[in-house]
Amino acid sequence: MTTLLVADDNEQIREIMKRRLTRSGYQVLLAANGLEALDIARSALPALILLDLNMPVMDGWTAARELKRDPGTRAIPIIAFTAHAMPGDRDGALAAGCDDQITKPFDYDELLRKIEELSQHGPPRSIEHES
């Protein structure tokens, strides 16, 4: 079973995502902030991380940069899971180390397609991450 990590500071979103993704056949781990996401990712090595960008303790941008700097977690694909929909927000998420972005509110079928694509094949080669 493919393991995903959902990191979001909103408990309702975490629980909804866990229920829906579990019904779709995934094992789901949860984190309430970027620091928890780092710890869980380093210990569990999920196939993919859904990462909210605005979180307390450590935001998603910082967590993404840390995950991509760490040789043990840099290959884990990250989908920015965010309400940031302004021009340039996707570029900012990609520059921080995310491999893709989905904007809240989102289409669940689109999210599943992105999860499948990235968890099976890894990040697209055309996206380069900062070190």
Side-chain angles (χ1 to χ4, degrees):
M1 181 178 288
T2 302
T3 300
L4 307 177
L5 171 58
V6 175
D8 197 298
D9 60 325
N10 184 307
E11 183 177 2
Q12 287 180 316
I13 290 174
R14 288 193 311 269
E15 290 304 318
I16 289 168
M17 293 303 297
K18 182 173 184 172
R19 279 196 307 272
R20 291 195 77 180
L21 291 168
T22 298
R23 280 194 302 251
S24 294
Y26 294 99
Q27 178 180 358
V28 181
L29 306 172
L30 302 175
N33 61 62
L35 189 58
E36 283 183 15
L38 279 178
D39 290 342
I40 293 169
R42 287 174 174 154
S43 63
L45 299 175
L48 183 135
I49 300 169
L50 289 168
L51 185 65
D52 184 18
L53 296 178
N54 287 324
M55 293 186 288
V57 183
M58 177 186 287
D59 64 44
W61 287 283
T62 304
R65 282 191 293 273
E66 290 298 317
L67 288 163
K68 293 303 180 176
R69 282 186 190 125
D70 183 332
T73 57
R74 80 169 38 125
I76 299 172
I78 300 170
I79 298 175
F81 188 59
T82 181
H84 290 272
M86 299 300 290
D89 288 337
R90 179 179 167 79
D91 292 338
L94 295 176
C98 296
D99 300 289
D100 206 338
Q101 176 176 320
I102 193 152
T103 304
K104 298 176 194 174
F106 60 91
D107 176 274
Y108 188 69
D109 290 333
E110 178 187 1
L111 175 63
L112 285 178
R113 182 187 55 73
K114 288 182 181 213
I115 289 171
E116 276 299 310
E117 181 180 298
L118 286 172
S119 66
Q120 297 297 321
H121 306 292
R125 294 192 195 294
S126 62
I127 297 174
E128 299 208 7
H129 303 289
E130 291 182 346
S131 297

